[in-house]
């Protein structure tokens, strides 16, 4: 094909943004409005970031609910959540592992996660049309009941043993076998091909299709069953395991467990949930622009807020359960 000025214009118009931003913890609570809607408390504990409308029965367009968000982008009232990491002492007690912020983010964010909406790979914007999720959209990736084969199939669910907060490789598919000097990172990459029709599905996954070869890599073409390319959504959580470095079991077994209570010492059940809640067309406007990471802030094209404003936002407490300090059992579990 010969290049024409028209083709060039079309390419320029398709230049797309890549978003990377921090969202502080909005609540740590035993709720799961996607998988266990209307159930309070839910089966296991989650760490949640984003808008403060988070509640057991939230539904509909959450971009229009709540009054604040813990995210840098102040029009993003979405909720993002994962299981919570616990340290299991050889004496049988558990303690929640604190969450620390990524060093690529502005200092002082209260715990939380780093959120990505990309389309090509980590370093470039790409040139595909990306359709923002519609109001009411939700999905999950991974599952507490998934075995090792789940993580073999899904290259987007990974762990990194951190030397420093900037360590990114190697990515491993289970808990590390030794203490990690700089903490542990969990990564959740969601599928980015949507069926274009369903805001959700009975298993919260069938409306999506994954063509990602591995995390932060260019995805293959979407299949005809799931033809709509949506942003490649990913979460990173940094767990501050330093406090436990001298309590590592002498037999070398892994002492970390996720809040869903797999006692085998494996992390195959790692999972994450998403409820879309950007206001109006904010996410579409961002994906249609060509900004990258923090260059998208300050109205170019997204409104942003200070760390103090992010940290001031909190969701309502529904469960009122103590999950701090040394516990006899994981919240909601008998061991
Ligand atoms: C959620 O529950 C609260 C309290 O029970 C109720 O006031 C509200 O109407 C419910 N919302 C939905 C969408 O069911
Ligand atoms: C287990 O060890 C921790 C840390 O020393 C301690 O605080 C906790 O009370 C112990 N739990 C039991 C059941 O002894």
């Amino acid at each position: 094909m010969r290049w024409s000025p028209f083709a060039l214009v079309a390419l320029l118009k398709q230049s797309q943004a890549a978003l990377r931003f921090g969202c502080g913890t909005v609540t740590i609570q035993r709720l799961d409005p996607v998988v266990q809607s209307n159930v309070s408390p839910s089966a296991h504990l989650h760490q949640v970031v984003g808008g403060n409308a988070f509640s057991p029965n939230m539904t509909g367009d959450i971009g229009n609910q709540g009054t604040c968000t813990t995210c840098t982008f102040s029009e993003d009232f979405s909720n993002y959540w994962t299981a919570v990491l616990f340290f299991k002492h050889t004496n049988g007690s558990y303690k929640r592992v604190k969450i620390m912020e990524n060093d690529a983010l502005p200092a002082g964010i209260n715990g939380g996660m780093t959120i990505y909406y990309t389309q090509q790979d980590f370093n470039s914007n790409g040139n595909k049309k990306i359709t923002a999720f519609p109001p009411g959209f939700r999905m999950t990736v991974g599952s507490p009941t998934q075995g090792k084969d789940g993580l073999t199939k899904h290259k987007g669910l990974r762990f990194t043993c951190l030397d420093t907060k900037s360590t990114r490789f190697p990515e491993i598919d289970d808990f590390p076998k030794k203490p990690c000097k700089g903490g542990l990172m969990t990564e959740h990459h969601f599928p980015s091909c949507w069926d274009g029709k369903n805001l959700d599905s009975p298993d919260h996954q069938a409306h999506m299709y994954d063509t990602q070869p591995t995390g932060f890599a260019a995805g293959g073409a979407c299949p005809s069953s799931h033809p709509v390319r949506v942003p490649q959504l990913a979460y990173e959580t940094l767990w501050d395991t330093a406090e436990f470095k001298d309590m590592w079991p002498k037999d070398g077994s892994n002492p970390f467990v996720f809040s869903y209570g797999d006692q085998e010492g494996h992390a195959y059940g790692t999972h994450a949930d998403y409820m879309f809640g950007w206001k109006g067309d904010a996410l579409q406007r961002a994906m249609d622009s060509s900004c990258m990471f923090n260059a998208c802030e300050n109205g170019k094209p997204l409104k942003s807020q200070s760390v103090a404003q992010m940290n001031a936002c909190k969701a309502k407490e529904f469960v009122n359960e103590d999950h701090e300090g040394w516990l006899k059992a994981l919240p909601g579990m008998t061991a």
Side-chain angles (χ1 to χ4, degrees):
M1 192 186 95
R2 281 181 49 212
W3 291 104
S4 75
F6 293 106
L8 197 59
V9 168
L11 270 183
L12 287 175
K13 266 179 127 170
Q14 284 194 343
S15 177
Q16 312 288 331
L19 304 181
R20 175 184 68 188
F21 56 100
C23 297
T25 302
V26 76
T27 190
I28 294 179
Q29 232 177 132
R30 201 140 64 79
L31 292 180
D32 190 340
V34 170
V35 176
Q36 291 186 285
S37 175
N38 264 311
V39 178
S40 173
S42 66
H44 58 259
L45 194 65
H46 289 117
Q47 57 126 352
V48 188
V49 308
N52 72 338
F54 189 78
S55 81
N57 61 356
M58 67 194 300
T59 180
D61 181 2
I62 63 170
N64 282 325
Q65 300 167 28
T67 54
C68 62
T69 172
T70 63
C71 296
T72 290
F73 294 121
S74 51
E75 295 162 285
D76 182 13
F77 279 40
S78 305
N79 284 120
Y80 311 86
W81 66 96
T82 77
V84 173
L85 191 67
F86 280 85
F87 174 80
K88 185 179 185 185
H89 198 283
T90 44
N91 70 15
S93 297
Y94 297 86
K95 194 169 182 194
R96 184 173 77 79
V97 181
K98 289 196 296 265
I99 300 168
M100 54 185 177
E101 69 163 314
N102 207 328
D103 64 357
L105 302 176
I109 297 174
N110 167 34
M113 297 197 260
T114 310
I115 306 293
Y116 295 81
Y117 289 81
T118 57
Q119 67 137 326
Q120 172 80 358
D121 52 33
F122 187 76
N123 296 304
S124 47
N125 285 354
N127 58 9
K128 290 184 202 127
K129 170 71 183 173
I130 301 294
T131 303
F133 305 101
F137 179 89
R138 44 183 71 185
M139 63 178 163
T140 66
V141 64
S143 150
T145 55
Q146 150 187 279
K148 187 174 174 53
D149 60 327
L151 297 200
T152 309
K153 266 192 305 213
H154 204 312
K155 304 277 194 298
L157 301 176
R158 287 292 180 269
F159 305 88
T160 305
C161 181
L162 300 177
D163 200 19
T164 71
K165 279 186 175 184
S166 310
T167 308
R168 289 298 175 267
F169 298 98
E171 292 182 345
I172 51 179
D173 63 3
D174 199 359
F175 286 125
K177 303 283 180 270
K178 57 170 180 56
C180 301
K181 210 166 75 186
L184 177 66
M185 182 167 84
T186 51
E187 297 135 57
H188 297 94
H189 293 259
F190 287 78
S192 58
C193 298
W194 175 44
D195 71 9
K197 293 184 209 111
N198 296 296
L199 298 178
D200 195 1
S201 45
D203 68 355
H204 313 293
Q205 301 189 351
H207 57 319
M208 300 301 292
Y209 191 92
D210 192 13
T211 61
Q212 207 73 11
T214 175
F216 290 126
C222 289
S224 57
S225 59
H226 298 74
V228 181
R229 175 72 67 178
V230 291
Q232 168 69 58
L233 178 67
Y235 309 167
E236 286 175 349
T237 313
L238 273 63
W239 304 97
D240 188 0
T241 54
E243 160 181 11
F244 309 104
K245 67 180 191 318
D246 300 325
M247 294 179 222
W248 197 271
K250 301 265 180 300
D251 68 1
S253 57
N254 160 65
F256 293 104
V257 292
F258 277 117
S259 48
Y260 51 82
D262 179 0
Q263 296 288 347
E264 307 277 294
H266 290 300
Y268 306 142
T270 184
H271 62 279
D273 295 54
Y274 175 61
M275 272 187 153
F276 170 83
W278 286 78
K279 287 186 175 299
D281 67 348
L283 182 60
Q284 188 65 62
R285 267 190 291 118
M287 297 317 296
D288 288 344
S289 80
S290 54
C291 65
M292 216 171 171
F293 299 169
N294 50 355
C296 306
E297 294 174 20
N298 300 312
K300 298 188 289 188
L302 293 171
K303 290 183 193 150
S304 49
Q305 61 179 352
S306 70
V307 169
Q309 287 167 313
M310 294 161 67
N311 288 349
C313 185
K314 288 281 165 281
K316 190 174 152 199
E317 184 64 48
F318 292 88
V319 177
N320 289 305
E321 174 177 61
D322 186 17
H323 40 69
E324 301 308 299
W326 290 96
L327 307 174
K328 281 206 217 79
L330 291 170
M333 314 268 157
T334 52

